Amino acid sequence: MVKNFWMTMVVLAAVMLQLSAQTVAPTETALVPQPSSVKVNAGQYMITESTRIGYAGKDSQVVAMADRLAAYIKAKSGLQLQVVPAIQPLYNMIFIGIMQVPDSLGKEGYTLTADKAQVAIKAKTAAGLFYGTQTLYQLIKPEVQKKLPMMSIPLVQISDKPRFEWRGSMLDCGRIFYSVDFIKKFLDYMAMHKLNTFHWHLTEDHGWRIESKKYPKLNEISSWRAGTQFDHSPERQINHSPHGGYYTQEQIRDIVQYAAERFITVVPEVEMPGHTLAVLAAYPELSCTGGPFKMPVQWGIQDDIFCAGNEQTFEFLEGILSEVAELFPGKMIHIGGDEAPKKRWKECPKCQARIQADSLKDEHELQSYFIKRIEKFLLSKEKNIIGWDEILEGGLAPNAAVMSWRGIQGGIEAAKQKHTVVMSPTDFMYFDYYQGEPYLEPVAIGGMLTLEKVYSYEPVPAELSAAERKFIRGVQANIWSEFIHTPEKVEYMAFPRLAALAELAWTPAVRKDWENFTKRMEAQYKRYEEAGINYSRSAKHVWQKVELDTVSNTATISLRTQSYQPEIRYTTDGNEPTISSPLYTEPFQLSLPGTVKAVVFENNKPVGKISVQSVLVPAGF
Ligand code: ACM
Ligand code: ZN
């Protein structure tokens, strides 16, 4: 009896401990990307009608941030908070201020502290404050149980700064023309992920998207085509509706400004010498053969590129780049440089004459001559160039930055040559690849790049020395649009993978943690829903692993997803899983032949698509 009493007491104490742990457990912050340092204390700061938003800093951007925060709180809760200038955080205030903060926070870092009395975001720069407010947006929660409108912020001490200075996403608007409104949405979504570089792919074989006052045929001819290839199959692959458009100079200025308000630099890409058939369709005299050329409707690399032996090519490019340099205030212009077949140059008397006259070894050195000449011109306009890693071939231009896409070797080589590098290898950073099993996905270009694989990427190659590593300035995802024809599909392909990229780009490598990321992503998915983002549910699709046992004629089936603690339900009777189907807890035996259908349930409803695996009796049995 006595023994039982004590045992009961021990159990009771354990239960009570657990209960109290639950009640005082720090509120989950679920921040994406994960900050450098987060300390969560028990309790919350309550935003009520008497809360004021205070700002310190002369920068008009700081006032705009304070106003935007007030508008957000109004939209979410109806609370109309007063926005006031302040020198320092005061009682019952959400304060954002440019202040003295530790130098270690760098140009883009911030601190965010919330206690019961006040919330303060401090940074050395407006950019730092902006990132602090992005974190704050993820922390603010509506208090739906309260009678009066209220919101709350968990009590936190955050100190944060980005790992890389170039945190980029490229969007291919050359192949598909997306509206100004969508570009702005995309910039909003980038900002939400603390990304700061929008690489705007504006020229392609299939379309020219920049208004030119000097070369109007770029807009009359190069911006339009008769149709679009929409899938891989040999039949039915061309949609014959005309496609095209271009951004007016006014729209471009507007987008650049919109991006700047979100601390995003726009890096325009003007492709050369390849990916230029659209230009040649309008100005065939800039080609090696003289044309004529039609605007292509099928994807693929084109043989016809700018003639490197023709002075008119450089006159044209200097003309157009002068217009581009005026439109984009950023330091960098991307000059492409990728996938330029040398076939035409090999056969062109003018190109060959240039090789002779300049004692160039071959066509690769001719491309290097081309890029160096463009670099020199752009330096005269105080712009630096960045190009795809092919610009290493034949010798890198003296100040060029390199975007490593054909794997990481180009980035390694450029870093060893002490050039700035942005890592964007196909295997980890090409968001036009499938993000789940192709039978569950809309058509993609090919490849396989799951959320987990994006997250696994380490942008700094291990083989670089400490000194060389400093040249790896950033990391970028590329969204090529051959098979991404609508804004909704851009969102589908970009999200949630862009969240994984954001964490690679922002969070210290030591804080990376896949399991924890999937847990925080549950909150991020809700944020996507709130923002109306058409994100992919592929990370919740079930992957089935089949291990055949040819002795017992069975298979062992293991199920997993790329999401946090999924409720996987499955059937083996051919029916679609329902909420009463068996819950997957561990690998199970399937007798053959057999079919497993599995899907994740949330709130009693299936999420995404049903994974189907039919396993036959192995041959010979
Ligand atoms: C590229 O994907 N051609 C840079
Ligand atoms: Zn030529």
Side-chain angles (χ1 to χ4, degrees):
M1 182 67 196
V2 170
K3 199 170 152 200
N4 269 351
F5 170 80
W6 281 113
M7 270 185 60
T8 311
M9 287 310 282
V10 168
V11 170
L12 253 177
V15 167
M16 281 174 64
L17 239 166
Q18 210 175 7
L19 273 178
S20 68
Q22 271 167 15
T23 45
V24 300
T27 314
E28 297 269 358
T29 52
L31 297 168
V32 178
Q34 181 77 291
S36 312
S37 153
V38 184
K39 187 165 178 289
V40 186
N41 301 315
Q44 297 155 76
Y45 172 83
M46 298 304 293
I47 306 175
T48 66
E49 60 181 6
S50 61
T51 299
R52 289 180 302 161
I53 296 176
Y55 62 88
K58 291 182 198 67
D59 201 322
S60 64
Q61 287 176 306
V62 179
V63 187
M65 276 180 244
D67 287 340
R68 219 176 291 154
L69 181 58
Y72 176 85
I73 291 171
K74 173 103 184 359
K76 294 289 164 194
S77 67
L79 289 166
Q80 177 87 59
L81 304 191
Q82 218 191 332
V83 178
V84 295
I87 293 165
Q88 60 187 23
L90 298 175
Y91 179 72
N92 207 359
M93 176 178 274
I94 302 174
F95 172 85
I96 58 173
I98 295 184
M99 322 275 285
Q100 216 39 53
V101 289
D103 281 345
S104 59
L105 286 176
K107 287 199 299 269
E108 296 177 293
Y110 67 91
T111 60
L112 190 164
T113 52
D115 58 31
K116 289 221 183 260
Q118 61 194 208
V119 177
I121 304 175
K122 298 178 185 175
K124 201 185 310 186
T125 63
L129 277 190
F130 182 76
Y131 297 125
T133 59
Q134 293 310 309
T135 300
L136 185 67
Y137 285 122
Q138 295 193 352
L139 293 171
I140 300 180
K141 302 273 179 309
E143 286 293 314
V144 283
Q145 267 97 10
K146 301 282 191 299
K147 277 208 201 77
L148 295 169
M150 277 188 204
M151 297 185 95
S152 68
I153 297 169
L155 304 189
V156 287
Q157 282 169 273
I158 295 174
S159 170
D160 197 15
K161 67 172 183 183
R163 179 177 177 200
F164 290 107
E165 71 190 59
W166 180 302
R167 305 181 297 278
S169 177
M170 190 262 339
L171 183 60
D172 173 6
C173 298
R175 291 185 176 87
I176 298 292
F177 178 74
Y178 305 107
S179 70
V180 170
D181 282 351
F182 179 67
I183 303 294
K184 288 184 174 175
K185 259 197 203 177
F186 192 74
L187 291 166
D188 284 338
Y189 303 156
M190 283 181 66
M192 168 178 173
H193 291 82
K194 302 190 174 84
L195 300 178
N196 70 348
T197 308
F198 177 50
H199 170 174
W200 200 5
H201 188 79
L202 282 165
T203 75
E204 249 313 325
D205 293 309
H206 306 84
W208 179 278
R209 306 291 171 223
I210 308 165
E211 181 191 17
S212 171
K213 311 270 193 209
K214 283 189 191 140
Y215 302 98
K217 283 197 278 181
L218 287 176
N219 304 123
E220 288 154 23
I221 296 170
S222 315
S223 299
W224 301 94
R225 61 172 186 260
T228 298
Q229 179 182 343
F230 62 88
D231 70 19
H232 294 283
S233 71
E235 309 85 33
R236 291 175 53 243
Q237 58 181 8
I238 306 293
N239 163 349
H240 290 283
S241 5
H243 179 85
Y246 59 90
Y247 305 101
T248 66
Q249 296 202 353
E250 198 182 329
Q251 288 172 326
I252 290 172
R253 287 201 181 88
D254 179 37
I255 283 173
V256 166
Q257 172 65 24
Y258 191 89
E261 285 163 11
R262 286 149 187 79
F263 298 86
I264 295 171
T265 302
V266 183
V267 177
E269 181 177 358
V270 177
E271 278 269 23
M272 65 190 77
H275 287 283
T276 45
L277 191 56
V279 177
L280 304 181
Y283 299 98
E285 64 274 21
L286 306 180
S287 71
C288 289
T289 65
F293 305 102
K294 269 177 65 173
M295 288 293 290
V297 295
Q298 264 173 326
W299 311 128
I301 296 171
Q302 306 289 332
D303 283 335
D304 288 290
I305 66 176
F306 280 133
C307 177
N310 182 351
E311 277 308 298
Q312 281 179 288
T313 298
F314 294 96
E315 270 167 44
F316 167 83
L317 281 170
E318 290 182 6
I320 200 73
L321 288 171
S322 299
E323 286 188 276
V324 169
E326 286 271 308
L327 286 169
F328 294 90
K331 268 302 292 162
M332 287 273 200
I333 292 183
H334 200 302
I335 50 73
D338 59 321
E339 298 177 324
K342 304 299 183 290
K343 188 165 187 268
R344 297 285 185 258
W345 288 3
K346 284 197 167 92
E347 294 157 0
C348 170
K350 283 190 237 150
C351 286
Q352 291 305 314
R354 175 84 73 197
I355 288 177
Q356 288 288 315
D358 282 71
S359 307
L360 304 172
K361 201 167 86 212
D362 56 15
E363 288 72 24
H364 291 300
E365 287 203 359
L366 182 58
Q367 167 143 339
S368 171
Y369 160 91
F370 193 115
I371 302 295
K372 282 176 182 159
R373 200 168 151 175
I374 294 297
E375 178 187 71
K376 195 162 166 214
F377 174 75
L378 280 172
L379 284 172
S380 77
K381 303 260 167 206
E382 296 180 354
K383 301 288 185 191
N384 288 324
I385 65 164
I386 180 164
W388 301 109
D389 57 51
E390 284 92 331
I391 66 170
L392 281 152
E393 293 163 6
L396 202 46
N399 296 288
V402 171
M403 192 166 268
S404 191
W405 74 279
R406 296 175 303 175
I408 61 171
Q409 216 46 49
I412 292 170
E413 182 56 37
K416 285 185 188 292
Q417 292 184 35
K418 301 186 164 50
H419 284 247
T420 292
V421 173
V422 176
M423 297 305 280
S424 193
T426 53
D427 282 353
F428 297 95
M429 290 290 119
Y430 269 43
F431 289 7
D432 53 342
Y433 282 20
Y434 284 99
Q435 58 193 309
E437 294 198 86
Y439 78 98
L440 297 176
E441 293 292 324
V443 64
I445 194 126
M448 176 61 71
L449 178 55
T450 62
L451 181 66
E452 187 170 18
K453 187 160 182 200
V454 176
Y455 197 79
S456 75
Y457 182 52
E458 167 46 50
V460 179
E463 62 226 81
L464 292 180
S465 69
E468 290 160 350
R469 287 172 185 209
K470 297 204 169 66
F471 292 98
I472 310 291
R473 299 281 163 75
V475 59
Q476 176 174 297
N478 294 330
I479 304 169
W480 298 104
S481 59
E482 279 96 335
F483 299 105
I484 304 181
H485 296 181
T486 62
E488 293 73 26
K489 195 161 174 192
V490 174
E491 293 178 9
Y492 180 89
M493 299 303 272
F495 302 102
R497 289 184 288 189
L498 215 57
L501 164 80
E503 194 137 319
L504 302 182
W506 183 277
T507 305
V510 292
R511 298 264 287 157
K512 249 176 83 176
D513 177 337
W514 165 248
E515 175 84 357
N516 181 272
F517 175 73
T518 60
K519 187 173 180 189
R520 284 179 286 117
M521 282 308 289
E522 291 302 312
Q524 189 75 352
Y525 293 135
K526 295 210 171 67
R527 293 176 191 130
Y528 291 165
E529 276 153 35
E530 238 181 76
I533 298 175
N534 181 43
Y535 71 98
S536 159
R537 270 73 171 172
S538 313
K540 302 210 165 174
H541 287 167
V542 177
W543 290 77
Q544 303 199 23
K545 188 168 142 220
V546 179
E547 283 167 289
L548 287 174
D549 180 343
T550 48
V551 177
S552 67
N553 213 12
T554 59
T556 304
I557 308 289
S558 325
L559 307 179
R560 74 180 293 261
T561 69
Q562 300 197 355
S563 58
Y564 187 69
Q565 296 185 347
E567 178 189 332
I568 302 174
R569 294 189 181 271
Y570 68 95
T571 64
T572 54
D573 61 5
N575 290 323
E576 293 197 349
T578 67
I579 191 66
S580 40
S581 301
L583 177 68
Y584 177 77
T585 51
E586 58 184 5
F588 59 89
Q589 300 295 117
L590 178 73
S591 44
L592 304 186
T595 296
V596 179
K597 294 189 178 178
V599 72
V600 167
F601 276 81
E602 278 173 10
N603 304 319
N604 299 330
K605 288 198 206 69
V607 179
K609 297 200 172 143
I610 297 172
S611 146
V612 181
Q613 177 82 57
S614 291
V615 190
L616 301 174
V617 179
F621 283 82

